[in-house]
Amino acid sequence: MKKRRIVIASILKPVDDTRMFEKMGASLASSEYEVFIIGYPSTDKPAHPDVHFLPLPIFSRLSFGRLLAPLKVLQLIRQVSPELLMVNTHELLIVAAINRIFFGVKIIYDIRENYYRNIIDTNAFPPVIKHFLAACVRVKERLLVPVFSWILVAERGYLKEMDFLKSTTTVIENKCRLPQEFARNPSPGKTRLLFSGTLAESTGVLQAIGLAKALHALNPDVQLTVIGFCSTAGTLRRVKQEIQNQEFITLIGGDLLVAHHQIMNAIACADFGIICYPSSKHTENSIPTKLYEYLACRLPILIQERNPGIELCHSCGACIEFDVTSPQAAGILEQMKWSAFYTETPQNVTWGPESVKLLEVMRNII
């Protein structure tokens, strides 16, 4: 029987992005679907028998090439001629609507971030234009969301942040798809801290480095690995300045995309993961993907107070809380040394139930 074709399309996310490929793509391909993923070129060479990767031409974040990328996406979609198209960025809303109106393709909007709040509440764009850009994004979403067959959201908090979402909306959280062969294997003799994922001021990378420096000053065995991609040149410069001549800090990625298996390897080698998002409206209702990953991998966590996902940590004894504005290094080190972690098995942190919800949505649409 011929499999139904699904295209999952992005602009900036790489074709082997963990949500597009490892979670959604692989889950759909294991059912009755043939999956095509369009996205930014990967630094790796992903492979799957029923997932086809269609990388876009390389372009910089703020460039004419990025402006043309949606047209290239549209061209690739028409070449594949899918029954269903899923887009996960506001930049492809018009492309999706064109496919629905002119070609009868079922379309899904997978809302991975509150893009309006991301633009308003971060320094990704200059102040003189960011309010205009944010308004354009929100108007586009309000006008085009009614055209979509279904809406997915990666965070429950988005249901209250976005009052324009339809009743046909399903929460598919970014929980961890744990590799079967995964096993933690930290090396003895050192205390290895880990900061993984997006490297940005808004994700707390600078605070994580500051915390690691404070801990290392009291215990020279403390080391830090920072692994992930930084899309903003100014932030990357600051990160490199902060770690310059700090031999106990290792940076992996930076201006290069990092394959997800590299992050999982870093988790396997770590003793503690750091989660320390500065207070901001655009993250106040969000649970970072790495929290699910650290919990699923049973990695002890240093986490700032009042994090939205902190109850997940409390329920299994996974974390040490600290004040991100004024961490008490001596007290944190004592807790790291004497605390018992994972006294209970973490619950509701793995991808399996989310895969079931995703396949149910697909059956309702095609």
Side-chain angles (χ1 to χ4, degrees):
M1 184 181 70
K2 185 177 180 181
K3 290 191 172 184
R4 295 173 172 179
R5 290 187 167 188
I6 293 176
V7 167
I8 305 175
S10 186
I11 295 291
L12 292 179
K13 299 295 183 183
V15 289
D16 60 349
D17 167 76
T18 181
R19 183 174 174 92
M20 288 202 299
F21 169 42
E22 294 181 359
K23 297 173 185 177
M24 290 186 168
S27 295
L28 294 170
S30 67
S31 189
E32 67 267 28
Y33 307 104
E34 184 179 18
V35 179
F36 296 77
I37 299 180
I38 301 171
Y40 197 80
S42 170
T43 56
D44 214 357
K45 293 183 178 179
H48 190 285
D50 292 306
V51 177
H52 309 276
F53 302 95
L54 305 175
L56 297 169
I58 294 176
F59 54 83
S60 59
R61 181 173 164 270
L62 298 176
S63 67
F64 187 64
R66 181 174 177 181
L67 291 176
L68 295 179
L71 295 177
K72 181 61 177 178
V73 171
L74 179 59
Q75 180 187 15
L76 290 171
I77 293 168
R78 296 319 316 146
Q79 289 174 0
V80 173
S81 190
E83 291 187 50
L84 184 140
L85 166 64
M86 182 189 304
V87 300
N88 56 35
T89 171
H90 63 87
E91 293 176 88
L92 293 177
L93 290 177
I94 294 175
V95 168
I98 289 171
N99 277 274
R100 176 67 183 272
I101 295 168
F102 293 101
F103 303 104
V105 178
K106 302 289 186 180
I107 56 176
I108 291 177
Y109 185 21
D110 177 28
I111 302 178
R112 299 179 55 154
E113 303 171 46
N114 186 341
Y115 303 106
Y116 171 84
R117 293 249 66 99
N118 280 9
I119 297 171
I120 288 288
D121 297 321
T122 69
N123 297 320
F125 295 94
V128 293
I129 64 168
K130 69 179 184 179
H131 288 277
F132 171 75
L133 291 175
C136 289
V137 167
R138 188 45 45 93
V139 168
K140 188 165 51 175
E141 286 181 325
R142 285 184 177 275
L143 289 176
L144 294 178
V145 155
V147 178
F148 280 76
S149 310
W150 212 275
I151 306 296
L152 307 179
V153 293
E155 302 278 359
R156 294 185 181 277
Y158 296 164
L159 298 178
K160 61 182 180 181
E161 291 180 10
M162 304 178 186
D163 58 5
F164 56 87
L165 296 179
K166 305 190 299 182
S167 58
T168 49
T169 298
T170 301
V171 179
I172 306 288
E173 293 174 298
N174 260 329
K175 297 181 180 178
C176 179
R177 184 163 191 161
L178 196 62
Q180 290 184 350
E181 70 280 5
F182 180 85
R184 284 191 60 233
N185 186 31
S187 301
K190 298 291 183 180
T191 302
R192 291 175 169 80
L193 310 181
L194 175 67
F195 184 93
S196 62
T198 301
L199 309 185
E201 291 183 35
S202 61
T203 62
V205 63
L206 298 174
Q207 285 83 353
I209 292 171
L211 173 63
K213 286 181 176 179
L215 296 175
H216 180 80
L218 297 177
N219 180 356
D221 288 334
V222 171
Q223 298 182 339
L224 172 65
T225 296
V226 177
I227 180 170
F229 176 67
C230 182
S231 64
T232 306
T235 300
L236 184 57
R237 281 195 299 272
R238 288 194 62 189
V239 168
K240 289 182 176 180
Q241 288 171 359
E242 289 293 326
I243 68 175
Q244 189 175 13
N245 300 322
Q246 306 290 332
E247 295 184 0
F248 71 97
I249 302 179
T250 301
L251 173 64
I252 301 173
D255 56 350
L256 299 174
L257 292 171
V258 177
H260 190 244
H261 66 81
Q262 291 179 266
I263 290 178
M264 297 305 291
N265 289 340
I267 292 174
C269 296
D271 295 291
F272 290 88
I274 302 176
I275 298 177
C276 54
Y277 282 63
S279 178
S280 175
K281 286 186 177 180
H282 84 289
T283 56
E284 65 184 1
N285 296 310
S286 298
I287 298 176
T289 300
K290 63 184 169 186
L291 178 59
Y292 292 124
E293 291 175 342
Y294 294 171
L295 289 171
C297 296
R298 302 177 76 93
L299 177 67
I301 303 168
L302 306 180
I303 188 169
Q304 93 260 28
E305 299 168 339
R306 295 179 295 278
N307 184 281
I310 205 161
E311 289 305 317
L312 288 171
C313 299
H314 287 165
S315 65
C316 57
C319 70
I320 296 170
E321 293 183 55
F322 68 94
D323 182 349
V324 72
T325 62
S326 181
Q328 303 301 306
I332 294 171
L333 283 171
E334 280 297 303
Q335 292 182 75
M336 291 167 65
K337 183 176 181 180
W338 299 112
S339 296
F341 297 100
Y342 292 97
T343 53
E344 301 289 339
T345 300
Q347 301 293 321
N348 302 316
V349 297
T350 54
W351 174 250
E354 307 307 300
S355 176
V356 172
K357 290 192 288 183
L358 175 65
L359 292 172
E360 183 179 344
V361 168
M362 296 300 166
R363 285 191 288 269
N364 286 335
I365 299 175
I366 58 174

